[in-house]
Amino acid sequence: MDGRTDSTSTWLGAPLQQLPTPALTLDRATMQSNAERMRERCQALGLRLRPHVKTHKTLEGAELATGGTRRGIVVSTLAEAQFFAAGGFDDILYAYPLPGGRLEECAALAQRLEAFQVLLDSPQALALLRQHPLPPGKRWLVWLKLDCGNSRAGVRPTDPSAMALARAIAEEALEEVMLVGVYAHCGNTYGCRDVQAVQAIARATTSAVLDFVTALRQAGVPCPQASIGSTPSCSHPVPEMAQLTEVHPGNYLLYDLQQTLLGSCHPEEVAIRVLTRVIGHYPHRNQLLLDCGWAALSHHGRDQLPAGCAAIEGHPELRLVGLTQEHGQVEAVDGQLDFGRYPLGSTLALIPFHACATAAMHPVYYVHAEGKVVELWHPVRGW
Amino acid sequence: MDGRTDSTSTWLGAPLQQLPTPALTLDRATMQSNAERMRERCQALGLRLRPHVKTHKTLEGAELATGGTRRGIVVSTLAEAQFFAAGGFDDILYAYPLPGGRLEECAALAQRLEAFQVLLDSPQALALLRQHPLPPGKRWLVWLKLDCGNSRAGVRPTDPSAMALARAIAEEALEEVMLVGVYAHCGNTYGCRDVQAVQAIARATTSAVLDFVTALRQAGVPCPQASIGSTPSCSHPVPEMAQLTEVHPGNYLLYDLQQTLLGSCHPEEVAIRVLTRVIGHYPHRNQLLLDCGWAALSHHGRDQLPAGCAAIEGHPELRLVGLTQEHGQVEAVDGQLDFGRYPLGSTLALIPFHACATAAMHPVYYVHAEGKVVELWHPVRGW
């Protein structure tokens, strides 16, 4: 079903420059260092790191992010949950509003794993769990999703229904359901323009979560865990986050152009590239054509000027101005292109705006060290 | 490698409403009718239809589009060429600037198929072919790519280098290389706002191509074929196109919201949907949450207001206002949402802005007839 995946193993050991393009490449040393630094940051705060795997969706990436333990990850689809469970992972939090039609699959995971955990934000979802009790000895492990300003899923912690729902999860059926913790995604950090603004949101989210946990405890409702996440907030954590029990960033393993612009990372910490080749010279319109279109890069960043969908590594004189399915159009930032610098067939490396979106376009990632392909990672997809 | 593909066959025969979501669905009768109508249009003009398969990338879709002959298609990646060749297709035109590093793969296809055809727009690409001659009895079958105003790949037919290159292809090595035809993609039709503007571009492209072919013939250079394409131009062909030999649209098999807005089709001719479920009610911000994010829809159309990334079928009172990886946010066009109309778990069908981009996000397409899944199509991906 995949025209190239079967033959990708022939590229192990090959110099990066020989890869067929477009190719998604990941720098192993950079990912290792990103993983270590995030672990160190969390250790310094006494926080558990529960990496989200939705950016790369690979066993190898999750192994790196968990420091080899294969314990404690977040997924956002059931396909991911099943893939990582089959790959030997456990303590998997399926941090997505519970899908009513797929409770049997959730129950199968709950029985198969030591700790398959689900998330909900409505009494209806709790009722669904109650309609599908697990066998004796197993309880549904439930996180309550809080919306602390991100305005997507979640109950607002200041809404009285939040306390009522937490209490219902914790107390309604002690043998069937357990309230593990509260979970908030501060995705609103992506709207920031600098680290200071990111930290203000991280502080507000932490405070909203902790206030809610305090209120729960005062009301006698046990809530062992409190988790927030997003790569911007966890790349520059505020001290208040030490009062949480865990965090769940994901993108940081690769980082991307967007994270650089947000201040989450330095350019040299971005591990992801799309390798592409020059396939056309068009002097009359002062353009190069690349063999990388939106099918290999995605459209993300298209409306985020001046960044656009990608930067071209080592070539500040170039900018990507257009993408169709399999073509990228490149112009000079100023003046005339020196076409001799970019011969037909020569490679360029694109730094994508949004790693999650670019990774989703590729059946295989070429992981490299010292200029050679050392691993091939195959992501899960679908739902 | 794919968390769900192995088990998708269990959905054959299932009512559409039972599918796990998000799910890409294709209406078989609509596709059949789209395929037939395009064939009829071409027959009426005496044109051969060489369908482009890059929208759906499936054997079944290409079978439908070729009327079961499995002969005469266009692909835009080598992975597609290899996939369709392995699937029994022949007369495959790889309409993409020739990749220098993959000539061996092209040569293998040329030897395997009766007619594997390549495309080029530079003397360097011709030199590459000359460096990789095929075994005796086989010649490289070459189309010259013309840029008739689309400003992507191709030589401009009015540029003297176009004639020189055509002559070189046709005459430089009669035993090794043959000039099959000239090929132009009028992708600039996608910038139009109505059929009249689309037809003006189709007319100009046709005229530019035919003038070039006439000049070639006057210069004694044989050029048997002349092909233009794009779904907008071929959905309402102008009479002048009858003087071409073939056309190569692709999107028309599915159509999409963008094509509706361009006037290429009526809404009922759009075969593609993304089936999604309501997963959250947020009355305080007057929003519904759907289990379809950009991972299932793509970001295409995001900056194309008022269309956006998708319309919601049968619900003109709703609009999709935001997409993150796995979530879609829906608001009322006016006033308050009546949440009772959209219970948690209920399904909605999204009509995507750009079928090519949405299809690229899915490992399987659920093809349906009379409300039930009748076929599962698995697209090729990668390069």
Side-chain angles (χ1 to χ4, degrees):
Chain A
M1 284 173 2
D2 185 307
R4 294 204 52 77
T5 304
D6 290 343
S7 59
T8 50
S9 60
T10 62
W11 296 106
L12 277 174
L16 224 45
Q17 300 301 321
Q18 289 183 7
L19 286 179
T21 47
L24 191 151
T25 69
L26 298 175
D27 185 300
R28 188 167 65 179
T30 305
M31 289 190 290
Q32 282 169 336
S33 146
N34 290 344
E36 278 162 28
R37 249 165 318 109
M38 189 59 83
R39 276 201 299 277
E40 286 164 8
R41 253 178 235 127
C42 291
Q43 277 165 7
L45 289 166
L47 283 172
R48 181 176 193 206
L49 171 61
R50 180 188 291 278
H52 206 307
V53 299
K54 63 125 183 140
T55 299
H56 54 85
K57 302 193 183 207
T58 60
L59 299 177
E60 298 87 345
E63 169 117 13
L64 207 52
T66 58
T69 67
R70 299 197 165 213
R71 293 293 176 275
I73 60 170
V74 189
V75 300
S76 57
T77 69
L78 261 179
E80 291 166 26
Q82 290 159 347
F83 176 76
F84 285 95
F89 282 76
D90 207 324
D91 190 358
I92 298 176
L93 167 51
Y94 173 38
Y96 195 76
L98 207 62
R102 299 182 70 181
L103 262 286
E104 282 77 7
E105 290 168 82
C106 292
L109 283 163
Q111 290 175 61
R112 171 183 192 164
L113 299 179
E114 280 186 35
F116 176 67
Q117 307 177 50
V118 297
L119 173 146
L120 56 78
D121 71 353
S122 73
Q124 292 93 325
L126 177 59
L128 275 171
L129 291 179
R130 299 289 312 281
Q131 289 159 19
H132 294 79
L134 296 173
K138 280 276 185 186
R139 290 185 292 178
W140 285 109
L141 305 175
V142 178
W143 293 70
L144 175 63
K145 177 75 182 269
L146 296 179
D147 172 9
C148 302
N150 187 42
S151 299
R152 200 175 61 183
V155 284
R156 290 171 300 166
T158 52
D159 186 325
S161 70
M163 174 66 79
L165 183 53
R167 185 185 287 281
I169 298 168
E171 299 179 352
E172 205 177 273
L174 293 172
E175 305 291 306
E176 293 174 18
V177 177
M178 176 190 173
L179 177 64
V180 176
V182 290
Y183 182 103
H185 171 55
C186 41
N188 41 340
T189 48
Y190 285 90
C192 295
R193 298 190 164 256
D194 55 38
V195 172
Q196 200 178 0
V198 167
Q199 290 186 321
I201 288 175
R203 202 171 279 119
T205 304
T206 303
S207 164
V209 167
L210 292 173
D211 286 353
F212 184 70
V213 171
T214 301
L216 282 180
R217 288 185 184 148
Q218 285 169 351
V221 178
C223 177
Q225 308 291 335
S227 181
I228 77 162
S230 88
T231 283
S233 60
C234 296
S235 294
H236 298 287
V238 293
E240 292 87 335
M241 286 164 63
Q243 299 170 67
L244 301 163
T245 61
E246 58 178 67
V247 289
H248 51 257
N251 175 288
Y252 71 92
L253 194 68
L254 313 188
Y255 282 127
D256 55 29
L257 185 57
Q258 178 175 221
Q259 298 289 353
T260 312
L261 298 170
L262 284 164
S264 306
C265 63
H266 297 290
E268 62 271 22
E269 293 171 300
V270 180
I272 183 173
R273 300 286 186 279
V274 177
L275 198 70
T276 178
R277 284 194 173 81
V278 176
I279 56 168
H281 286 174
Y282 304 93
H284 64 278
R285 60 173 197 267
N286 203 26
Q287 271 191 351
L288 296 174
L289 214 54
L290 305 181
D291 69 358
C292 175
W294 55 253
L297 194 56
S298 90
H299 252 183
H300 289 238
R302 186 174 133 103
D303 50 0
Q304 304 289 313
L305 294 174
C309 297
I312 304 175
E313 185 172 28
H315 291 282
E317 78 282 9
L318 299 179
R319 68 175 166 205
L320 185 65
V321 296
L323 288 175
T324 54
Q325 190 157 351
E326 302 291 354
H327 300 79
Q329 290 171 300
V330 168
E331 291 183 354
V333 170
D334 281 312
Q336 285 297 305
L337 276 178
D338 175 5
F339 288 91
R341 287 187 64 190
Y342 323 101
L344 290 181
S346 62
T347 54
L348 292 170
L350 306 181
I351 307 169
F353 182 79
H354 190 183
C356 311
T358 297
M361 309 310 287
H362 289 260
V364 61
Y365 313 153
Y366 298 91
V367 178
H368 58 94
E370 294 166 8
K372 291 190 174 170
V373 177
V374 290
E375 293 178 41
L376 299 166
W377 292 6
H378 295 94
V380 66
R381 65 195 299 238
W383 296 271
Chain B
M1 284 172 1
D2 185 306
R4 293 203 53 77
T5 305
D6 291 342
S7 59
T8 50
S9 60
T10 62
W11 296 106
L12 276 174
L16 224 45
Q17 301 301 320
Q18 288 182 8
L19 286 179
T21 47
L24 191 151
T25 69
L26 298 175
D27 185 299
R28 189 167 64 179
T30 305
M31 289 190 291
Q32 282 169 336
S33 146
N34 290 344
E36 278 162 28
R37 248 164 320 107
M38 189 59 82
R39 275 200 300 276
E40 287 164 8
R41 253 179 236 127
C42 291
Q43 276 165 7
L45 289 166
L47 283 171
R48 181 174 192 207
L49 171 61
R50 180 188 290 278
H52 206 307
V53 299
K54 62 124 184 143
T55 299
H56 53 85
K57 301 192 183 207
T58 60
L59 299 177
E60 299 87 346
E63 169 117 14
L64 207 52
T66 58
T69 67
R70 299 197 165 212
R71 293 293 176 273
I73 60 171
V74 189
V75 300
S76 57
T77 68
L78 261 179
E80 291 166 25
Q82 290 159 347
F83 176 76
F84 285 95
F89 282 76
D90 207 324
D91 190 358
I92 298 176
L93 167 51
Y94 173 38
Y96 195 76
L98 206 62
R102 299 182 70 181
L103 262 286
E104 282 78 7
E105 290 168 83
C106 292
L109 283 163
Q111 290 176 62
R112 171 183 192 164
L113 299 179
E114 280 185 35
F116 176 67
Q117 306 176 50
V118 297
L119 173 146
L120 56 78
D121 70 354
S122 73
Q124 292 93 325
L126 177 59
L128 275 171
L129 291 179
R130 300 287 313 280
Q131 289 158 20
H132 295 79
L134 296 173
K138 280 276 184 186
R139 289 184 293 177
W140 286 109
L141 305 175
V142 177
W143 293 69
L144 175 63
K145 177 74 183 270
L146 296 179
D147 172 10
C148 301
N150 187 43
S151 299
R152 201 175 59 183
V155 284
R156 290 170 301 166
T158 52
D159 186 324
S161 70
M163 174 66 80
L165 184 53
R167 185 185 287 281
I169 298 168
E171 299 179 352
E172 205 177 273
L174 292 172
E175 305 291 305
E176 294 174 18
V177 177
M178 176 191 172
L179 177 65
V180 176
V182 289
Y183 182 102
H185 170 54
C186 41
N188 41 339
T189 48
Y190 285 91
C192 295
R193 298 191 163 257
D194 55 38
V195 172
Q196 200 178 0
V198 167
Q199 290 186 321
I201 288 175
R203 202 170 278 117
T205 304
T206 302
S207 164
V209 166
L210 292 173
D211 287 352
F212 185 71
V213 172
T214 302
L216 282 180
R217 288 185 185 148
Q218 286 170 350
V221 178
C223 177
Q225 308 292 334
S227 182
I228 76 161
S230 88
T231 283
S233 59
C234 296
S235 294
H236 298 287
V238 293
E240 292 87 335
M241 285 165 62
Q243 300 170 67
L244 301 163
T245 61
E246 57 178 67
V247 290
H248 50 257
N251 175 288
Y252 71 92
L253 193 69
L254 313 188
Y255 282 127
D256 55 29
L257 185 57
Q258 178 175 221
Q259 299 289 353
T260 313
L261 298 170
L262 284 164
S264 306
C265 63
H266 297 291
E268 62 272 23
E269 293 171 300
V270 180
I272 183 173
R273 299 287 186 278
V274 177
L275 197 70
T276 178
R277 284 193 173 81
V278 176
I279 56 167
H281 287 174
Y282 305 93
H284 64 279
R285 59 172 198 267
N286 203 27
Q287 270 191 352
L288 295 174
L289 214 54
L290 305 181
D291 69 358
C292 175
W294 55 253
L297 195 56
S298 90
H299 252 183
H300 288 238
R302 186 174 134 103
D303 50 0
Q304 303 290 312
L305 294 174
C309 297
I312 304 174
E313 185 172 28
H315 291 282
E317 78 282 9
L318 299 179
R319 68 175 164 205
L320 185 64
V321 295
L323 288 174
T324 54
Q325 190 157 352
E326 302 291 354
H327 300 78
Q329 290 171 300
V330 168
E331 291 183 354
V333 170
D334 281 311
Q336 285 296 305
L337 276 178
D338 175 5
F339 288 91
R341 287 187 64 190
Y342 323 101
L344 291 182
S346 62
T347 54
L348 292 170
L350 306 181
I351 307 169
F353 182 79
H354 190 183
C356 311
T358 297
M361 309 310 287
H362 289 260
V364 61
Y365 313 153
Y366 298 91
V367 178
H368 58 95
E370 293 166 9
K372 291 190 174 170
V373 177
V374 291
E375 293 178 41
L376 300 166
W377 292 6
H378 295 94
V380 66
R381 66 195 299 238
W383 296 270

